[in-house]
């Protein structure tokens, strides 16, 4: 295990908090439409920060640790793109005004960081105490991969989300966004705005993605510090990336297929590691450099194949994929 000092942890968390604060301030103080140039600049900045951190980390703690970080970062970044896809669906479903999308995205990123930090702490404690957790995480990823593959051409049904339906049933909801407030008064009574419902939908999505992404990154490293930083740096640039790629997401028609293959591969990697530790040391393990190569290879092939497919068939549209069958809406009479 790496010897990460409390000072290193504190400085790292401080850096992430500062970067997150910049995002929060930009969203709160200057709500505006984010253009392509601005989104590109911020995306390049966050990716550069993540790469520079990885280079420093590799120089400080060795090439093996650096490779684990970059493998984890790329896995989390690829999963975050699918997370973005669902964010786009939520924004469209609830017709979130363009100037309020900053607020929703920032909330989603903050909540995702909090949830993943909790799951990282729990996952790390469980893995350190019970080696069979590698079997549990591996089976979870294999199941998720199979479900995502089966429903790769569907989108999650946001309106049928249990938390969203519960909020709509028990809370009075206003007819419009009322200046981007969460709570307001309408006709003399206290109501929640649609933005509150949107945040509930985003929160439930963050929970589901945390359940998948943490076991996935534990598939390439058991170092809690690497798991945390890979997740944090992958999520920090999510707001800018949303505005950069939301027009291109429709063209990534094989994204869900690619992500299902990545999750399946990492799931088998965890199962092999469990068998190596608990069953027989003769069972081979998949090295991290190979994992990194496989993940990058799948993403490259998926992206190129998607662009070729949509160029030949412009009417093709990508789907975020779902873990369960989406109910077909009955046509209105």
């Amino acid at each position: 295990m790496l010897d990460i000092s409390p000072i290193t942890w504190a400085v790292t968390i401080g850096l992430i908090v500062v970067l997150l604060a910049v995002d929060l301030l930009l969203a709160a103080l200057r709500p505006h439409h984010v253009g392509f140039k601005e989104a590109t600049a911020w995306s390049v900045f966050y990716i550069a920060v993540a790469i520079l951190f990885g280079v420093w980390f590799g120089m400080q703690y060795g090439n093996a640790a650096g490779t684990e970080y970059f493998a984890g970062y790329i896995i989390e970044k690829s999963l975050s793109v699918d997370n973005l896809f669902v964010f786009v669906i939520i924004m469209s479903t609830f017709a979130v005004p363009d100037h309020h999308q900053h607020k929703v995205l920032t909330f989603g990123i903050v909540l995702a960081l909090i949830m993943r930090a909790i799951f990282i702490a729990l996952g790390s404690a469980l893995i350190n105490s019970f080696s069979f957790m590698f079997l549990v995480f591996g089976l979870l990823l294999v199941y998720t991969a199979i479900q995502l593959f089966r429903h790769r051409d569907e989108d999650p049904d946001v309106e049928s989300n249990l938390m969203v339906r519960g909020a709509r049933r028990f809370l009075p909801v206003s007819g419009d966004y009322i200046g981007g407030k969460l709570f307001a008064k309408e006709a003399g009574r206290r109501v929640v705005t649609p933005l509150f419902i949107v945040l509930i939908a985003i929160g439930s999505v963050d929970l589901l993605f945390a359940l998948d992404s943490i076991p996935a990154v534990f598939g390439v490293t058991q170092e809690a510090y690497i798991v945390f930083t890979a997740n944090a740096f992958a999520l920090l640039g999510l707001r800018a990336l949303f505005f950069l790629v939301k027009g291109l997401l429709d063209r990534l028609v094989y994204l869900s297929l690619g992500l299902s293959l990545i999750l399946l591969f990492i799931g088998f990697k965890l199962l092999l590691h469990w068998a190596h530790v608990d069953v027989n040391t003769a069972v081979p393990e998949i090295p991290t450099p190979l994992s990194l190569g496989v993940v990058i290879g799948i993403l490259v092939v998926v992206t190129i194949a998607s662009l070729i497919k949509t160029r030949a068939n412009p009417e093709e549209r990508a789907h975020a994929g779902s873990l369960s069958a989406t109910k077909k809406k009955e046509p209105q009479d």
Side-chain angles (χ1 to χ4, degrees), residues 250-251 253 308-319:
D250 278 349
R251 300 188 64 189
V253 293
I308 292 174
K309 176 74 171 179
T310 52
R311 185 175 182 180
N313 301 285
E315 71 281 0
E316 288 281 345
R317 288 292 178 267
H319 298 276

Side-chain angles (χ1 to χ4, degrees), residues 33-73:
H33 170 74
V34 179
F36 180 80
K37 288 185 178 179
E38 182 181 350
T40 301
W42 280 109
S43 296
V44 169
F45 168 74
Y46 281 116
I47 292 173
V49 169
I51 292 174
L52 288 174
F53 174 84
V55 171
W56 168 82
F57 185 69
M59 293 174 62
Q60 189 75 18
Y61 295 97
N63 290 334
T67 302
E68 289 182 2
Y69 163 78
F70 279 112
Y73 174 75

Side-chain angles (χ1 to χ4, degrees), residues 262-283:
I262 289 173
L263 292 175
L264 186 65
F265 173 77
I266 299 299
F268 277 121
K269 185 179 188 299
L270 282 170
L271 293 177
L272 287 175
H273 180 73
W274 166 78
H276 179 84
V277 172
D278 281 2
V279 180
N280 193 323
T281 54
V283 176

Side-chain angles (χ1 to χ4, degrees), residues 284-331:
E285 292 194 271
I286 300 174
T288 300
L290 177 59
S291 300
L292 180 59
V294 169
V295 171
I296 292 175
I298 291 174
L299 291 175
V300 170
V301 171
V302 162
T303 302
I304 293 174
S306 295
L307 295 178
I308 292 174
K309 176 74 171 179
T310 52
R311 185 175 182 180
N313 301 285
E315 71 281 0
E316 288 281 345
R317 288 292 178 267
H319 298 276
S322 178
L323 297 184
S324 60
T326 301
K327 293 181 181 178
K328 302 295 182 183
K329 294 183 179 178
E330 297 294 333

Side-chain angles (χ1 to χ4, degrees), residues 156-177:
D157 188 355
V158 178
E159 290 283 8
S160 295
N161 179 288
L162 182 63
M163 295 180 69
V164 171
R165 285 193 288 116
R168 284 192 179 280
R169 181 177 179 182
F170 295 107
L171 298 174
V173 184
S174 66
D176 57 51
Y177 281 87

